[in-house]
C-alpha cells in the first residue's frame, strides 16, 4: 500500500494539470469531429490515441480530487447529468484497491463515455447502451448513433454514416502482408492486374457486364499464358492427362442432359409454331381449294348444259361444236341419255320433249327400269370379258403346271 | 573446422531453402457459421473443391466470438481464414483474414449462384492452379489493395500445395463495378486456330503488330467457358488485426440488408397509415357536414328512450 500512498501524493501534486489537459484534448477532439463529420482521418485518431494514453496514466493519479468530486457526484447519480462524473465515481470505488489493470480498463471505459458524449449529444440514452456493447468499436457505435438519430428525424437521408478510411493503416497492412511480387516468379502467384480499369456503364445490363468480365479474364489469360510459357511452366493440359475434375462426370452428364433437353424443347417449340402457322395458313389454302373446285364444277356443268342445249336444240353450229367441246364430253353424256331422252333420239315429238324438259315430267315412273325390246337389243353394256366367269379361277394354274410346281 | 563449415553451410542452405519455401505458402481455413442455407453450403463446397490448399472445418457455433477462429487456424496450420457468416438464414457475410495478425475484411456476399444451379459447361481439374485476374481499379485505393492482397492469398493456389495439379486450366476474375467486387470463374479452353496452315500462320505472326511466341507448335486460340460459381462481394469493414483490432476502413455506401428490408416494410406501413388516416378524416368531415346520422360518433343515449326508462 506504500505504492498507493506514494501515488496519491503524486496525484495530489499533479492531478489538476492532467485533468485540465485531458478535458482540453477532448474538447479539441470534439471540435474536430464536428468539423469533419464526413471522414475521420488519421489526425483525429492520433488525438484519440493520445487521449487513451493520457487516461491510462491519469487513471491512478486522479485520486486526490476524486474524493471531493465523489461527494458532488452523489446527488446527480440518479439523474445522470454527465457521464464523466459517473465514471469517476465508479472509479473511486475501485481506487480503494489501487489495482492498476482495473484502472486502465476504467480509463478506457471513461474514454468511451467521453467519446460518445462528444459525438452524440442529442441521444444520451442510446449512447449509453452503445457504450456497454462496443468498447473497442466506438467509431461504429458513433456512426450507428448518428444513423439512428437521423432515422428518427425521418426527412434526412437515413444512411448517412461516418466513414473510416485510415489510409496509412491500410497501406501499412498491405505492406505487412504483401507478397514480394518483384522477387517472385510469376508462376508463384499467377495474379495479373489489367492495364485499364474495366468500365461498366450499367451493371444491370447483364450481357454487356458479362462481356466486360469475359474480356478482362481473356486478356489476363493471354498475358499469363505468355508469362508462364516464358518461364517454362506447364500451361495446357495434355490430351491424355486424366484426373479428377471439379465437376464430376455425373454432374457434367446432368448438364449435358439439360442442354439436350433445352435444345429439344426449343426445337419442339419451333416445330409447334410452324405447325400452328401452317394450320392457320392451311385453312386458307383449303378454302381456296374448295372454292376452286366448286368453280370448276360450275364451269363444267355450264359447259355440259350448253352442250345439251346445243344438242337438243337446232344443230346450228354443228361444225363449231366439234371444235369447242371434247370428244370425251360427247361420249360422256351419251349413255346417260338413253332412258330419259325417249323420243328426242328419234327426232320425233319435239314439243313433248320440250314440255317434259320444262315441266319436269319425264314419263311414267313405273316400269322405267324394266327391260323392253329396245334395251335388250342394246348391246353397249355387253362385255365378253364379264361373260367369261370369275377372274379368280384363272389364278389357279392348270393341273400339269401344278404337278410340275410340286 | 569442417564441422563448423558444414553446419554453417547447412544453415545457409537451410536459410535459402526456407526463403524459397517462404515464397508463397498459403493455407486457408474455410468454414461457415451455423445457420447457413443449402446454397451457402454449396458455395462453400464449390470453393473448397477449387482450393486444394484449403482445409474445411465444421460449422462454427458462435457468431460473436470470432477471435476463436485464430486459434482454430493455428491448430490447422492455416494462415488465412475464409469464414462465411450466415444471418437470419438468408444473408451471407464473408470474412477474409490473415490469421495470426493480418487484416480482416468483412464483406457482404450477394447474388450467389452455385456451380450446380448454373449449368455451365465449363470444367477444370480439381486442384489445378487458377490465374487470378484483377481489375486495375484494385490498385487505385488503399482498402482495395488490402482486399486484393487477401484475395490473392486466399484464392491463389500456391505452387507447393499438396494436392495441386501442374496445369493451368481456369481463371478467376475479380472486377469492381458499382462499388462491389464481382467474381467469375472461367475455364481456359485452347483450340486449334481455324483453317490456317502452321507455316502461313508463322509468317502471319511475323506481320502481326504483337507477334506471339514462335515455336514448333502453332499458337492456339484461347477462349473461355464459364464454370461457376458466381457471387458479388461488398466490402463493409476492414479491421487491422485478425477478427479484432481497430477498424481501419468502413464502407459508407453499404446499407445492411436488414435496413433495406425494414425500410421496405416501413414504406408499406406508412402507406397503410396514410390510407386509414384519410378514411378517418373523411368520416369526421362527413359527420361535421351532417351527412352521416351521428357524425361518425356513437350516439348519445337518449335519457327518455324505452331502454333507459324500463331497464
Amino acid at each position: 500500500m506504500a505504492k498507493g500512498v506514494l501515488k496519491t501524493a503524486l496525484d495530489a501534486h499533479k492531478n489538476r494539470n492532467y485533468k485540465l489537459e485531458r478535458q482540453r484534448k477532448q474538447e479539441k477532439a470534439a471540435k474536430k469531429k464536428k468539423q469533419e463529420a464526413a471522414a475521420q482521418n488519421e489526425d483525429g485518431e492520433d488525438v484519440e490515441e493520445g487521449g487513451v494514453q493520457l487516461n491510462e496514466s491519469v487513471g491512478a493519479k486522479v485520486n486526490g480530487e476524486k474524493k471531493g468530486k465523489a461527494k458532488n457526484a452523489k446527488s446527480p447519480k440518479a439523474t445522470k447529468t454527465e457521464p464523466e462524473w459517473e465514471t469517476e465515481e465508479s472509479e473511486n470505488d475501485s481506487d480503494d484497491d489501487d489495482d492498476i489493470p482495473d484502472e486502465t480498463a476504467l480509463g478506457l471505459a471513461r474514454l468511451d463515455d467521453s467519446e460518445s458524449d462528444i459525438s452524440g449529444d442529442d441521444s444520451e440514452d442510446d449512447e449509453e447502451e452503445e457504450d456497454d456493447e462496443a468498447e473497442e468499436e466506438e467509431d461504429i457505435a458513433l456512426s450507428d448513433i448518428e444513423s439512428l438519430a437521423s432515422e428518427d428525424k425521418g426527412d434526412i437521408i437515413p444512411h448517412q454514416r461516418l466513414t473510416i478510411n485510415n489510409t496509412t493503416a491500410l497501406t501499412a497492412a498491405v505492406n505487412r502482408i504483401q507478397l514480394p511480387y518483384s522477387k517472385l516468379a510469376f508462376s508463384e502467384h499467377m495474379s495479373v492486374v489489367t492495364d485499364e480499369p474495366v468500365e461498366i456503364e450499367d451493371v444491370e445490363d447483364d450481357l454487356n457486364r458479362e462481356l466486360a468480365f469475359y474480356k478482362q479474364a481473356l486478356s489476363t489469360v493471354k498475358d499469363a499464358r505468355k508469362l508462364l510459357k516464358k518461364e517454362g511452366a506447364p500451361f495446357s493440359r495434355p490430351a491424355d492427362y486424366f484426373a479428377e475434375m471439379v465437376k464430376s462426370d455425373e454432374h457434367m452428364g446432368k448438364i449435358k442432359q439439360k442442354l439436350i433437353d433445352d435444345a429439344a424443347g426449343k426445337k419442339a417449340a419451333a416445330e409447334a409454331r410452324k405447325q400452328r402457322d401452317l394450320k392457320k395458313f392451311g385453312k386458307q389454302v383449303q378454302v381456296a381449294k374448295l372454292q376452286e373446285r366448286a368453280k370448276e364444277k360450275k364451269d363444267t356443268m355450264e359447259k355440259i348444259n350448253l352442250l345439251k342445249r346445243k344438242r337438243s336444240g337446232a344443230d346450228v353450229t354443228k361444225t363449231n361444236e366439234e371444235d369447242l367441246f371434247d370428244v370425251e364430253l360427247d361420249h360422256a353424256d351419251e349413255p346417260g341419255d338413253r332412258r330419259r331422252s325417249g323420243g328426242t333420239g328419234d327426232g320425233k315429238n319435239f314439243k313433248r320433249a320440250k314440255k317434259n324438259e320444262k315441266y319436269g315430267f319425264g314419263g311414267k315412273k313405273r316400269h322405267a327400269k324394266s327391260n323392253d325390246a329396245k334395251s335388250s337389243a342394246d348391246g353397249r353394256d355387253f362385255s365378253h370379258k364379264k361373260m367369261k366367269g370369275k377372274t379368280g379361277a384363272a389364278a389357279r394354274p392348270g393341273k400339269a403346271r401344278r404337278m410340275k410346281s410340286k | 573446422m569442417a564441422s563448423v563449415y558444414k553446419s554453417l553451410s547447412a544453415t545457409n542452405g537451410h536459410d535459402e531453402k526456407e526463403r524459397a519455401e517462404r515464397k508463397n505458402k498459403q493455407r486457408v481455413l474455410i468454414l461457415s457459421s451455423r445457420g447457413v442455407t443449402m446454397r451457402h453450403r454449396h458455395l462453400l463446397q464449390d470453393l473448397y473443391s477449387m482450393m486444394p490448399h484449403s482445409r474445411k472445418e465444421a460449422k462454427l457455433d458462435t457468431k460473436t466470438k470470432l477471435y476463436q477462429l485464430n486459434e482454430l487456424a493455428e491448430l490447422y496450420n492455416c494462415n488465412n481464414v475464409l469464414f462465411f457468416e450466415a444471418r437470419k438464414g438468408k444473408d451471407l457475410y464473408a470474412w477474409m483474414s490473415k490469421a495470426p495478425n493480418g487484416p480482416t475484411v468483412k464483406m457482404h456476399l450477394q447474388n450467389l449462384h452455385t456451380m450446380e444451379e448454373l449449368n455451365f459447361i465449363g470444367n477444370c481439374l480439381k486442384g489445378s492452379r487458377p490465374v487470378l485476374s484483377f481489375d486495375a481499379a484494385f490498385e487505385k485505393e488503399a482498402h482495395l489493395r488490402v482486399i486484393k492482397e487477401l484475395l490473392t492469398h486466399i484464392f491463389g493456389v500456391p505452387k507447393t500445395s499438396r494436392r495441386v495439379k501442374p496445369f493451368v486450366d481456369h481463371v478467376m476474375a475479380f472486377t469492381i463495378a458499382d462499388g462491389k467486387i464481382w467474381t467469375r470463374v472461367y475455364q481456359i479452353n485452347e483450340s486449334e486456330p481455324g483453317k490456317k496452315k502452321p507455316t502461313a500462320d508463322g509468317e502471319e505472326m511475323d506481320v502481326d503488330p504483337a507477334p506471339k511466341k514462335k515455336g514448333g507448335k502453332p499458337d492456339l486460340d484461347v477462349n473461355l467457358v464459364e464454370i461457376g460459381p458466381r457471387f458479388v462481394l461488398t466490402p463493409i469493414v476492414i479491421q487491422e488485426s485478425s477478427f479484432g483490432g481497430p477498424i481501419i476502413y468502413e464502407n459508407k455506401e453499404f446499407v445492411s440488408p436488414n435496413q433495406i428490408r425494414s425500410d421496405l416494410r416501413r414504406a408499406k406501413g406508412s402507406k397503410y397509415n396514410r390510407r386509414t388516416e384519410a378514411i378517418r378524416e373523411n368520416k369526421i368531415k362527413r359527420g361535421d357536414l351532417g351527412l352521416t346520422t351521428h357524425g361518425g360518433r356513437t350516439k348519445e343515449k337518449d335519457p327518455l328512450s324505452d331502454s333507459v326508462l324500463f331497464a
Side-chain angles (χ1 to χ4, degrees):
Chain A
M1 278 297 131
K3 200 180 174 186
V5 172
L6 269 174
K7 260 190 185 167
T8 47
L10 202 65
D11 290 343
H13 193 64
K14 283 186 175 177
N15 78 45
R16 196 68 235 167
N17 299 343
Y18 274 113
K19 189 79 190 151
L20 275 173
E21 208 175 319
R22 190 169 62 81
Q23 278 178 348
R24 230 172 278 146
K25 286 245 169 178
Q26 282 176 352
E27 276 169 12
K28 249 187 217 168
K31 268 180 195 169
K32 262 197 181 163
K33 270 207 174 150
K34 275 178 184 168
Q35 274 170 3
E36 29 178 296
Q40 187 176 24
N41 56 10
E42 196 201 344
D43 295 5
E45 273 217 350
D46 279 354
V47 171
E48 283 162 32
E49 277 169 16
V52 173
Q53 284 163 5
L54 262 176
N55 280 334
E56 279 172 11
S57 57
V58 160
K61 296 166 186 173
V62 201
N63 262 353
E65 222 192 42
K66 242 167 246 160
K67 294 269 152 85
K69 275 215 169 178
K71 279 165 200 164
N72 295 343
K74 255 182 194 156
S75 53
K77 189 189 173 184
T79 51
K80 202 201 161 313
T81 48
E82 250 185 275
E84 212 177 82
W85 285 28
E86 195 195 50
T87 53
E88 271 174 10
E89 190 189 66
S90 60
E91 221 169 272
N92 186 25
D93 297 338
S94 65
D95 267 348
D96 298 335
D97 306 334
D98 254 356
D99 270 349
I100 293 170
D102 267 358
E103 278 164 11
T104 53
L106 279 163
L108 270 173
R110 184 209 278 151
L111 175 75
D112 285 342
D113 272 356
S114 54
E115 275 292 323
S116 47
D117 190 26
I118 290 156
S119 57
D121 288 332
D122 43 355
S123 55
E124 277 198 1
D125 296 341
D126 282 354
E127 127 206 332
E128 277 308 302
E129 288 168 15
E130 292 293 335
D131 285 340
D132 293 340
E133 280 173 32
E135 287 203 340
E136 289 168 313
E137 303 174 348
E138 63 213 45
D139 293 324
I140 282 192
L142 169 72
S143 55
D144 276 356
I145 287 165
E146 291 228 332
S147 72
L148 268 175
S150 57
E151 206 171 80
D152 289 341
K153 281 170 202 164
D155 45 8
I156 306 171
I157 307 155
H159 309 303
Q160 199 70 39
R161 53 161 72 198
L162 261 182
T163 314
I164 303 165
N165 194 357
N166 193 341
T167 322
T168 42
L170 286 168
T171 39
V174 171
N175 291 336
R176 202 176 56 204
I177 61 166
Q178 198 164 35
L179 298 170
Y181 288 114
S182 52
K183 287 178 199 164
L184 283 178
F186 176 74
S187 59
E188 282 290 334
H189 59 90
M190 298 218 299
S191 72
V192 182
V193 181
T194 53
D195 304 328
E196 293 287 314
V198 177
E199 279 172 17
I200 298 168
E201 290 135 26
D202 183 17
V203 281
E204 303 294 326
D205 184 1
D206 288 0
L207 198 68
N208 284 329
R209 188 190 62 214
E210 294 302 325
L211 194 67
F213 295 159
Y214 181 88
K215 274 182 186 161
Q216 182 204 328
L218 193 64
S219 73
T220 305
V221 166
K222 279 179 178 159
D223 292 351
R225 190 154 158 267
K226 223 178 282 171
L227 285 165
L228 283 173
K229 287 249 166 93
K230 204 188 279 172
E231 285 182 11
F235 186 81
S236 48
R237 176 169 71 125
D240 57 348
Y241 182 93
F242 293 110
E244 194 184 355
M245 306 290 274
V246 164
K247 292 178 185 173
S248 61
D249 284 349
E250 188 192 351
H251 188 185
M252 288 310 278
K254 225 187 267 174
I255 292 169
K256 214 166 272 176
Q257 192 57 47
K258 181 108 199 313
L259 283 179
I260 290 168
D261 286 354
D262 277 0
K266 225 173 256 175
K267 207 176 168 189
E271 192 76 15
R273 181 172 299 121
K274 208 172 139 193
Q275 210 70 21
R276 238 185 346 260
D277 289 351
L278 214 63
K279 202 174 166 189
K280 221 182 270 170
F281 188 66
K283 216 161 221 172
Q284 288 173 358
V285 166
Q286 203 176 6
V287 168
K289 209 181 252 174
L290 279 176
Q291 279 175 347
E292 202 184 347
R293 212 173 279 166
K295 201 182 165 199
E296 209 170 278
K297 200 177 171 186
K298 212 172 137 195
D299 280 357
T300 33
M301 289 309 285
E302 234 162 55
K303 272 178 191 171
I304 288 166
N305 285 340
L306 193 72
L307 193 62
K308 270 184 193 168
R309 224 171 291 146
K310 290 269 165 69
R311 276 273 172 107
S312 58
D315 300 20
V316 192
T317 52
K318 186 82 183 176
T319 47
N320 285 347
E321 222 174 88
E322 296 274 290
D323 296 337
L324 276 171
F325 301 110
D326 300 308
V327 187
E328 274 178 309
L329 266 175
D330 269 0
H331 285 297
D333 61 352
E334 221 172 52
D337 271 354
R338 187 160 57 129
R339 269 182 208 116
R340 277 281 182 109
S341 59
T344 51
D346 299 331
K348 286 183 229 164
N349 202 2
F350 284 118
K351 191 174 178 183
R352 185 70 246 161
K354 208 71 185 165
K355 271 190 173 171
N356 285 350
E357 202 179 29
K358 193 172 179 184
Y359 301 112
F361 182 67
K364 294 183 284 190
K365 291 287 188 286
R366 59 183 183 275
H367 308 307
K369 289 187 174 177
S370 57
N371 276 339
D372 54 7
K374 202 177 158 198
S375 79
S376 12
D378 190 4
R380 279 180 303 181
D381 281 347
F382 178 75
S383 161
H384 70 277
K385 251 187 193 167
K386 276 183 186 169
M387 295 305 286
K388 282 240 167 126
K390 286 175 191 170
T391 49
R396 187 180 160 101
K399 187 168 190 185
R401 251 197 256 176
R402 269 187 284 140
M403 295 315 281
K404 207 184 271 176
S405 70
K406 266 184 181 177
Chain B
M1 281 309 264
S3 65
V4 168
Y5 173 73
K6 203 175 172 184
S7 68
L8 266 175
S9 64
T11 51
N12 265 348
H14 186 251
D15 262 5
E16 272 188 18
K17 205 180 166 190
E18 205 173 54
R19 202 178 299 146
E21 263 179 20
R22 217 177 351 164
K23 269 179 185 172
N24 185 10
K25 195 175 180 188
Q26 312 290 343
R27 257 173 78 78
V28 182
L29 180 70
I30 174 167
L31 77 170
S32 73
S33 73
R34 274 177 60 200
V36 286
T37 64
M38 173 266 271
R39 300 176 78 195
H40 301 162
R41 203 176 59 237
H42 282 207
L43 173 73
L44 193 86
Q45 186 60 45
D46 289 350
L47 291 177
Y48 176 65
S49 71
M50 283 201 285
M51 291 157 66
H53 60 306
S54 63
R55 157 95 204 193
K56 210 164 105 178
E57 242 303 292
K59 291 171 187 163
L60 191 73
D61 215 355
T62 175
K63 284 179 187 172
T64 47
K65 297 172 197 155
L66 290 184
Y67 53 80
Q68 289 177 355
L69 284 168
N70 292 330
E71 294 161 31
L72 216 56
E74 201 188 345
L75 197 69
Y76 291 118
N77 263 339
C78 294
N79 55 354
N80 299 290
V81 180
L82 177 58
F83 174 63
F84 291 101
E85 182 188 348
R87 286 195 193 158
K88 301 194 165 184
K90 46 190 155 189
D91 304 323
L92 191 66
Y93 294 86
W95 295 75
M96 294 180 184
S97 164
K98 291 296 287 179
N101 41 18
T104 309
V105 183
K106 181 192 180 188
M107 297 193 266
H108 182 219
L109 201 151
Q110 282 169 297
N111 291 12
L112 159 65
H113 300 284
T114 61
M115 238 183 231
E116 196 172 0
E117 65 193 25
L118 277 174
N119 284 318
F120 287 134
I121 54 168
N123 201 351
C124 66
L125 285 172
K126 196 170 194 168
S128 64
R129 303 176 60 209
V131 174
L132 298 175
S133 162
F134 289 99
D135 186 358
F138 271 104
E139 297 287 357
K140 294 280 190 306
E141 286 175 69
H143 70 277
L144 291 175
R145 282 177 64 206
V146 173
I147 291 168
K148 173 182 170 269
E149 203 57 36
L150 276 165
L151 288 171
T152 315
H153 289 194
I154 287 173
F155 290 109
V157 178
K159 218 175 187 177
T160 51
S161 180
R162 278 179 62 194
R163 285 168 289 169
V164 84
K165 303 246 163 55
F167 306 109
V168 181
D169 65 350
H170 68 289
V171 54
M172 211 163 177
F174 301 97
T175 315
I176 290 177
D178 198 22
K180 299 179 177 68
I181 301 164
W182 302 67
T183 313
R184 296 284 182 273
V185 183
Y186 299 98
Q187 177 194 353
I188 300 169
N189 200 4
E190 286 176 306
S191 56
E192 300 281 344
K195 52 258 163 188
K196 285 177 192 166
K197 281 180 184 175
T199 50
D201 207 4
E203 280 171 10
E204 278 199 8
M205 283 298 138
D206 283 352
V207 179
D208 270 354
K212 285 178 192 168
K213 196 188 159 205
K214 272 210 297 179
K217 284 193 284 182
D219 255 345
L220 296 171
D221 270 350
V222 180
N223 59 341
L224 305 177
V225 185
E226 188 157 2
I227 302 173
R230 287 177 168 187
F231 52 91
V232 177
L233 299 163
T234 317
I236 305 169
V237 152
I238 300 179
Q239 284 180 306
E240 194 161 29
S241 60
S242 181
F243 296 105
I247 286 161
I248 52 178
Y249 171 78
E250 192 181 6
N251 190 356
K252 183 163 70 171
E253 284 153 18
F254 175 73
V255 183
S256 91
N258 287 334
Q259 185 80 53
I260 291 168
R261 281 192 290 264
S262 85
D263 281 358
L264 279 176
R265 269 200 306 274
R266 196 163 299 156
K268 240 181 223 171
S270 72
K271 211 169 159 189
Y272 171 76
N273 285 344
R274 247 179 289 133
R275 208 167 54 225
T276 44
E277 187 82 2
I279 288 170
R280 206 161 53 84
E281 270 174 19
N282 195 22
K283 216 171 180 181
I284 289 167
K285 203 166 81 183
R286 285 174 76 86
D288 289 346
L289 290 171
L291 291 172
T292 48
T293 33
H294 306 297
R297 283 159 291 218
T298 48
K299 190 185 173 188
E300 282 174 29
K301 255 189 180 170
D302 187 5
L304 295 176
S305 71
D306 289 354
S307 61
V308 175
L309 283 178
F310 305 107

